[in-house]
Amino acid sequence: ILLLTSALSPEAGDLVGEEVRGSAIVIEVDGPGHFLRPGGRVPSGSTLMKRRHLTLLGYNLVSIPFYEWNALNEAEREEYLRNHILRARETRAKIQDESHMNE
């Protein structure tokens, strides 16, 4: 599992660090070895199991497949990460709100 802060601009790096520390968000970059065939787009069983374990441990996982990441330029990468992190944060907040409503 890799936290992508050093490859980003300082502003985006601050956003990633703050979001991860405050919301238990994990960013995982899925390289070719995470998929069934080289260049494939179907996650391997071990990748799916790791995702499930992280979710069961309470982490909100943001998976970034290599084929999406490699297709982006630097500016697009920052926007891509920002959007995925914000979506993960919103999802986590919704889950927490629902759990409080059920208490």
Side-chain angles (χ1 to χ4, degrees), residues 4 14-16 39 42 58 65 67 70-71 81 90 95-96 103:
L4 299 173
D14 290 344
L15 171 67
V16 172
V42 177
Y67 52 85
N70 290 346
L81 279 177
E90 291 168 1
I95 291 168
Q96 288 174 339
E103 292 178 348

Side-chain angles (χ1 to χ4, degrees), residues 16-48:
V16 172
E18 178 181 327
E19 295 300 326
V20 171
R21 283 191 300 274
S23 303
I25 295 172
V26 173
I27 299 171
E28 179 182 32
V29 179
D30 293 327
H34 289 254
F35 299 91
L36 292 179
R37 294 186 301 255
R41 295 185 178 205
V42 177
S44 68
S46 60
T47 296
L48 293 173

Side-chain angles (χ1 to χ4, degrees), residues 82-97:
R82 183 175 279 111
N83 288 337
H84 279 73
I85 290 166
L86 292 176
R87 192 174 321 133
R89 182 179 178 197
E90 291 168 1
T91 299
R92 184 159 180 85
K94 181 179 176 184
I95 291 168
Q96 288 174 339
D97 288 346

Side-chain angles (χ1 to χ4, degrees), residues 50-61:
K50 179 173 42 176
R51 290 176 183 175
R52 179 160 170 72
H53 288 166
L54 287 168
T55 301
L56 290 172
L57 288 169
Y59 294 102
N60 199 339
L61 180 63

